[in-house]
Amino acid sequence: MDILLQQLINGVTLGAVYALVALGYTMVYGIIGLINFAHGEVVMIGAMVAFTVITSLAAHTQLPPLLILLIGLVVAAPTCMLLGYGLERLAYRPLRHAPRLTPLITAIGMSIVLQNVAMIIWGRNYINFPQMIDKTSYHIGNALITNVQVAILFLSALTMVGLMWLVYRTKLGTAMRATAQDQMVAGLMGVNINRVIAAAFVIGSALAALAGLMVGTYYEIAHYQMGFMLGLKAFTAAVLGGIGNLAGAMAGGLLLGIIEALGAGYIGDLTGGFLGSHYQDIFAFFVLITVLVFRPSGLLGERVGERA
Amino acid sequence: MSDFLLETRSISKRFGGVQALADVSFGIRRGEIFGLIGPNGAGKTSLFNVLTGLYVPDSGEVIFDGQSLKGLKPNEVAERGIARTFQNLRLFGNLSALENVMIGRHVRTHAGVFGAIFRNRATLEEEEAIERRAHELLKYVGIERRANTLAKNLSYGDQRRLEIARALATDPKLLALDEPAAGMNATETAALRGLMEAIRSDGITILLIEHDVKLVMGLCDRVAVLDYGQKIAEDTPDKVQRDPKVIEAYLGGAIA
């Protein structure tokens, strides 16, 4: 088996999920300069809601598995969108003009609240995601790619293209970019700032729901704390690409996924078996620290001073 | 209906120890070009910010088109029909010229988030209309061939024109221009003057803040002069120019 190619495939899959989540961080940061640390929890809630819907449908109906997955997404996405809207409306909007540290701490608080609510609802144990798709694998050279991986890659790519189109080709997207550049003048031009900010949260949360469903289906497992590490990694991806920059979040996500997968694949050889692949998290945070030290603006980010 | 499109009644605004505006009252008539001049720091821009809802005055009131603007947010003031440009250009640098103007149409359009995502027909038609109008406005100010250039890459004079186009996109009754000729050479200033006259003849009232006294005197129907936050004169350019108080404010009394 070709380990390099195999880990690249795994890495790109993981990276696509990171990218979807990172987009949520970066959209919100780009517009209001807030790092929404509760975003990882939105992913988790998306996975949990999808899990509940999928399990009960699978148990009580004879619907085709793909349709069940789709219904899971159709329920999880609006739930997360509502959650994202609620977070913005109740937790962040009242603090819009507060010192920057205040909403940041609130975000961490919201993250803890959501984790605990999820723990009360879904319990503290790992939940087995029902396996809806019969896994089949295809050969690429000497490596394997599963149909789930193909689906994740395809859906992520489609979603990202859709998002780029929304941001760069529609009135709402133009308003979002204008608001990100100069909130005061955008308001003067009649842009409803509150609505634009809410839209960033709502759209980011929809992507998070999709990511949650994908993670659940891919790892076949969900847990009330799953959003924490995933959120941190996606945040790292956003910083790596240049936070506030959409293309950056996508590139950062893919790159981080690949770095992690390659790291996990080779860490045993590199350390003579001292560290195993469960140390893969080291790489994400090594990347985060390196970027923050050497290129805090990220790969595609502008220097903050240049945003007039 | 009152003769005045905009009236300020005893506007005062204080920043800490500085009385930026003291009891300022004047009126702008429909269809005129009204000049607001005064030495640096006289309170011109503060007054502008009060008129457009960015500052809340400590006392006094602005009456626009027969209604008070008290308590309105900047976007609501824009909705009532006041549009402005900025002394230090405030364009959206990373948006194209066309997109900058399209943003200005937000005041007059109301398709929401769901329309943007689900693309119903009303949204599509609205977006098309917005783009068409934006092209017209770019043509009107003479920079249509720059439509797809990022605003930050436009020449200085074109950026000024773009700001005016963006302000016009809000369909204003009153267009407030904050030093539009700043940094322009003589040719550009002459072209700007032509543009302002065209805008006025299209029925839009203009409030002009300007340092270039020659431009103001040649173009404006009436002029108000601010000095240390107080209005010291309001009259036709001829009379204002001969007013001893104005001469003193500008020249420190050397001639008077």
Side-chain angles (χ1 to χ4, degrees):
Chain A
M1 189 157 112
D2 185 340
I3 293 184
L4 178 65
L5 186 59
Q6 186 61 56
Q7 289 306 85
L8 275 177
I9 292 171
N10 296 345
V12 171
T13 311
L14 190 59
V17 176
Y18 288 160
L20 282 182
V21 184
L23 284 167
Y25 277 101
T26 226
M27 270 198 293
V28 165
Y29 184 86
I31 293 177
I32 53 172
L34 165 73
I35 294 166
N36 177 16
F37 273 119
H39 191 59
E41 272 57 50
V42 178
V43 179
M44 178 270 293
I45 297 284
M48 290 300 194
V49 170
F51 158 79
T52 305
V53 172
I54 292 169
T55 337
S56 56
L57 283 180
H60 302 294
T61 66
Q62 301 298 320
L63 294 172
L66 274 180
L67 185 63
I68 292 182
L69 277 179
L70 187 68
I71 296 174
L73 179 64
V74 167
V75 176
T79 310
C80 286
M81 287 159 96
L82 205 63
L83 178 63
Y85 178 77
L87 281 176
E88 194 276 325
R89 190 72 189 81
L90 302 176
Y92 304 139
R93 192 182 297 182
L95 301 173
R96 189 87 48 81
H97 302 288
R100 289 175 69 120
L101 200 55
T102 316
L104 190 70
I105 292 169
T106 307
I108 295 170
M110 291 319 295
S111 148
I112 295 169
V113 168
L114 289 175
Q115 279 189 27
N116 283 278
V117 168
M119 188 186 73
I120 292 167
I121 300 177
W122 287 283
R124 57 172 71 244
N125 298 319
Y126 283 89
I127 298 171
N128 288 318
F129 232 78
Q131 210 178 338
M132 299 308 295
I133 303 178
D134 291 324
K135 270 200 186 139
T136 45
S137 301
Y138 312 100
H139 281 276
I140 298 182
N142 281 326
L144 294 173
I145 186 165
T146 67
N147 50 354
V148 173
Q149 286 178 315
V150 173
I152 288 177
L153 289 174
F154 176 72
L155 275 178
S156 317
L158 199 68
T159 310
M160 288 183 221
V161 170
L163 181 71
M164 289 309 249
W165 175 81
L166 178 79
V167 171
Y168 286 95
R169 288 284 177 274
T170 68
K171 178 167 166 259
L172 175 66
T174 315
M176 289 171 88
R177 283 180 292 136
T179 307
Q181 284 180 50
D182 193 330
Q183 215 175 95
M184 190 261 265
V185 175
L188 270 178
M189 294 301 139
V191 174
N192 187 332
I193 304 294
N194 284 334
R195 191 188 285 174
V196 165
I197 293 171
F201 274 89
V202 167
I203 295 168
S205 301
L207 301 185
L210 179 62
L213 177 68
M214 286 175 175
V215 173
T217 314
Y218 188 47
Y219 291 112
E220 294 165 12
I221 215 166
H223 186 240
Y224 76 96
Q225 282 180 331
M226 69 188 273
F228 175 70
M229 191 55 87
L230 185 62
L232 275 183
K233 300 251 183 87
F235 168 66
T236 303
V239 171
L240 173 61
I243 193 151
N245 182 313
L246 294 183
M250 296 177 200
L254 288 178
L255 204 56
L256 188 70
I258 292 170
I259 292 172
E260 248 190 45
L262 291 182
Y266 289 104
I267 190 170
D269 295 344
L270 289 174
T271 59
F274 180 64
L275 297 178
S277 62
H278 50 284
Y279 278 93
Q280 66 166 352
D281 294 345
I282 292 174
F283 296 100
F285 301 113
F286 181 73
V287 167
L288 179 61
I289 292 166
T290 312
V291 171
L292 288 177
V293 170
F294 293 106
R295 198 175 156 80
S297 56
L299 297 177
L300 303 179
E302 294 177 45
R303 280 187 307 149
V304 176
E306 286 172 357
R307 307 175 94 216
Chain B
M1 199 182 272
S2 146
D3 205 20
F4 291 113
L5 177 62
L6 180 134
E7 258 183 287
T8 69
R9 292 186 185 153
S10 306
I11 298 281
S12 294
K13 178 76 186 172
R14 176 182 278 280
F15 295 104
V18 182
Q19 188 75 43
L21 296 168
D23 214 18
V24 176
S25 303
F26 63 86
I28 302 176
R29 296 196 183 112
R30 286 170 200 280
E32 73 179 351
I33 299 184
F34 187 91
L36 185 64
I37 61 171
N40 273 326
K44 302 185 297 282
T45 297
S46 297
L47 183 60
F48 239 55
N49 288 339
V50 168
L51 296 184
T52 48
L54 290 175
Y55 291 169
V56 179
D58 299 331
S59 63
E61 200 176 13
V62 181
I63 309 291
F64 181 71
D65 213 8
Q67 284 178 306
S68 171
L69 298 182
K70 206 169 222 163
L72 295 190
K73 289 190 218 115
N75 59 320
E76 294 166 331
V77 173
E79 223 165 289
R80 293 284 177 88
I82 301 182
R84 69 171 292 178
T85 64
F86 292 84
Q87 184 178 345
N88 320 306
L89 294 156
R90 294 281 290 265
L91 289 164
F92 305 112
N94 289 323
L95 266 58
S96 72
L98 186 68
E99 287 174 330
N100 266 280
V101 181
M102 286 164 70
I103 286 289
R105 292 302 294 164
H106 272 265
V107 170
R108 301 291 161 218
T109 51
H110 295 100
V113 176
F114 286 97
I117 295 169
F118 295 111
R119 322 299 301 163
N120 52 23
R121 216 179 69 196
T123 310
L124 290 176
E125 278 170 10
E126 186 177 278
E127 290 193 3
E128 211 172 285
I130 289 170
E131 199 172 325
R132 209 166 41 232
R133 179 78 182 125
H135 273 293
E136 281 168 20
L137 285 164
L138 285 177
K139 196 166 175 183
Y140 185 79
V141 301
I143 53 172
E144 203 204 7
R145 67 205 157 75
R146 291 292 192 186
N148 295 316
T149 309
L150 290 188
K152 65 180 176 193
N153 295 334
L154 291 175
S155 74
Y156 187 74
D158 285 353
Q159 291 193 7
R160 289 256 174 232
R161 286 163 176 278
L162 178 56
E163 254 207 340
I164 292 174
R166 186 178 66 177
L168 288 175
T170 65
D171 284 346
K173 292 175 182 142
L174 177 71
L175 176 64
L177 303 170
D178 195 351
E179 303 211 12
M184 281 192 173
N185 62 33
T187 325
E188 286 170 329
T189 306
L192 176 72
R193 183 176 166 157
L195 180 60
M196 282 192 276
E197 275 166 349
I199 291 169
R200 185 248 293 264
S201 64
D202 285 344
I204 296 170
T205 309
I206 295 179
L207 167 62
L208 174 67
I209 292 189
E210 192 45 71
H211 255 96
D212 186 335
V213 176
K214 215 170 78 188
L215 178 69
V216 172
M217 295 306 176
L219 187 64
C220 296
D221 303 300
R222 290 186 316 120
V223 176
V225 187
L226 281 185
D227 190 29
Y228 293 110
Q230 293 186 318
K231 187 185 81 173
I232 57 173
E234 177 184 353
D235 216 323
T236 59
D238 275 1
K239 289 185 184 150
V240 163
Q241 263 171 311
R242 279 183 272 119
D243 189 321
K245 272 191 291 186
V246 176
I247 295 169
E248 189 180 322
Y250 264 91
L251 303 171
I255 289 178

